[in-house]
Amino acid sequence: MNTTRALVPVAWGMLWIARAPLEHEMALHMAVQLPLLIGVGYMLATFLRPYEPRWFAESDWLGIPGLLLVVFATSFWMLPRMLDLALSEPWIDSAKFASLPLLAGLPLGSSWPRMPGLGRAFLWANFIPKLGAIGGLYLAAPTRLCAYYRLDQQAAAGIALIAVAIVLGTCWSVIVFVGSPPFWSRAGIRRQRARHEILEAGE
Amino acid sequence: MTRGFALLLGLVLCVGVGALAWATEGFRVITSQGARQLSIARHPIPVPNVRLVDQDGHTFSFADYRGRTILVDFIYTRCPRLCGVLGDDFRQAFSRSDAKNDRVAFLSISFDRADDRDTLRFYADRYAAKTPGWRVAMPCDAHGLSTLLQTFGITVISDGMGGFVHDGTIYLVDESGRLARILDPGTRIAAGHP
């Protein structure tokens, strides 16, 4: 358990070291660095879950405040102006490295399980097409949105976002219409084990 | 639903909306260029008195323009694309402006350290730019260049093919030597002064 916990600072540190090459390309900045920083916070949330204060769990009704925070934090760092500022101002980049894990990934990990299934479906169904639409806008925009990225880099970022949207959309559709694979979650593994036991008992 | 929920929700809404309002200058801009345009329009900033050298080899500075409005664009003479469009636009506006009307001056500044007097001369001849109405110039030293780029808020990035990317923005320096307006990229001034 302790080794997996070490993944959080190690992953964060690796992203920090790799920030220059990742931020050099708009596509890597938006479709790789930002999601991975959120992922680091999400991992942290899974480790911190046993220590979550009671008052927070009770106040974060259905995960609504937490997920709202995720929406704000991610929208903020996807603004073209903030992408520029992250490149020109080192303290803004540091703020990004602190706030994306702590204000987007961490609340995502802690609040997501509290959100009811219908709410999660609503969020997925909103997020995926929106990601694709933003990608389409970047791909088609005739002017540069960032001072630090060329038009072709912006178009590549658009393609990357569309690709992410397609992959997420495919996975989500499979899960919704076919069902998630049993190895996906502990509950799934438990269910499968129980099914085996019933079958064995029947024999 | 508890009081804690209401407090938490309120806090998230305040912080979130506040942060987005800060980043977008009150939900008006999403790009750094837009934020800069807004800030300059509200608070014009004095242009430092950088010394430049023009296509005739004469040195001059921004202070020499006091009392006149200057339309400034940033170019590099090897530019295969946008600088040509900018040059054409300036040429039309310049040829239309009255020779005796010395209230408006044109100034094309090269940000390429590889440019020299000959290349400036070549660019000026291509668009019939004549001093003192339209100077094609470059800062005398690298420090002057970085001061100008910083003041005008210009980020010069490589286009990956040995050239530079720039958006062809035209800047307006007012009679008292302040950067007062940043025109939208693509604004054509030849059709009439802004």
Side-chain angles (χ1 to χ4, degrees), chain A residues 37-167:
Chain A
L37 279 172
I38 297 170
V40 167
Y42 189 92
M43 265 201 302
L44 185 66
T46 59
F47 297 138
L48 289 183
R49 196 160 293 145
Y51 311 105
E52 186 177 50
R54 230 185 118 97
W55 65 266
F56 181 76
E58 281 167 4
S59 303
D60 189 28
W61 185 61
L62 302 183
I64 291 170
L67 292 175
L68 200 60
L69 184 61
V70 178
V71 171
F72 277 126
T74 49
S75 311
F76 181 86
W77 290 111
M78 286 213 297
L79 285 171
R81 187 187 183 194
M82 295 319 294
L83 293 179
D84 266 345
L85 283 175
L87 279 146
S88 65
E89 308 286 335
W91 74 271
I92 296 263
D93 212 22
S94 307
K96 185 181 81 184
F97 266 78
S99 69
L100 270 180
L102 295 179
L103 299 181
L106 188 63
L108 182 67
S110 63
S111 300
W112 188 251
R114 283 195 271 272
M115 172 72 47
L118 195 62
R120 290 187 213 182
F122 174 80
L123 288 176
W124 274 123
N126 255 296
F127 174 68
I128 294 169
K130 219 162 263 174
L131 198 62
I134 293 172
L137 282 179
Y138 278 7
L139 186 57
T143 55
R144 293 188 306 141
L145 291 166
C146 293
Y148 282 94
Y149 295 116
R150 300 187 306 267
L151 205 54
D152 60 307
Q153 290 176 311
Q154 183 171 302
I159 292 173
L161 292 185
I162 291 172
V164 172
I166 289 173
V167 170

Side-chain angles (χ1 to χ4, degrees), chain B residues 93-127:
Chain B
F94 181 60
S95 67
R96 222 178 281 171
S97 71
D98 190 349
K100 280 175 196 149
N101 171 11
D102 57 356
R103 284 186 305 126
V104 179
F106 296 82
L107 177 57
S108 299
I109 301 175
S110 166
F111 52 78
D112 184 1
R113 294 304 293 164
D115 271 331
D116 56 25
R117 203 180 128 193
D118 291 335
T119 60
L120 294 182
R121 177 88 250 171
F122 180 76
Y123 184 92
D125 287 346
R126 185 155 37 135
Y127 298 108

Side-chain angles (χ1 to χ4, degrees), chain A residues 72-86 91-92 95 99 145, chain B residues 14-39 42:
Chain A
F72 277 126
T74 49
S75 311
F76 181 86
W77 290 111
M78 286 213 297
L79 285 171
R81 187 187 183 194
M82 295 319 294
L83 293 179
D84 266 345
L85 283 175
W91 74 271
I92 296 263
S99 69
L145 291 166
Chain B
C14 286
V15 171
V17 172
L20 284 182
W22 173 79
T24 57
E25 301 287 332
F27 302 99
R28 272 175 294 187
V29 298
I30 59 163
T31 62
S32 42
Q33 167 88 358
R36 183 135 181 96
Q37 276 181 317
L38 209 61
S39 145
R42 256 192 250 151

Side-chain angles (χ1 to χ4, degrees), chain B residues 27-104:
Chain B
F27 302 99
R28 272 175 294 187
V29 298
I30 59 163
T31 62
S32 42
Q33 167 88 358
R36 183 135 181 96
Q37 276 181 317
L38 209 61
S39 145
I40 289 296
R42 256 192 250 151
H43 310 288
I45 51 169
V47 177
N49 204 18
V50 171
R51 296 214 57 82
L52 299 111
V53 56
D54 67 17
Q55 68 263 44
D56 294 341
H58 297 309
T59 58
F60 66 100
S61 70
F62 277 92
D64 301 340
Y65 285 100
R66 281 294 149 84
R68 303 166 79 186
T69 299
I70 329 170
L71 292 170
V72 184
D73 67 351
F74 285 82
I75 56 147
Y76 67 106
T77 61
R78 292 178 291 131
C79 182
R81 287 177 295 274
L82 198 61
C83 293
V85 180
L86 269 174
D88 270 335
D89 195 39
F90 263 33
R91 184 189 58 192
Q92 283 180 37
F94 181 60
S95 67
R96 222 178 281 171
S97 71
D98 190 349
K100 280 175 196 149
N101 171 11
D102 57 356
R103 284 186 305 126
V104 179

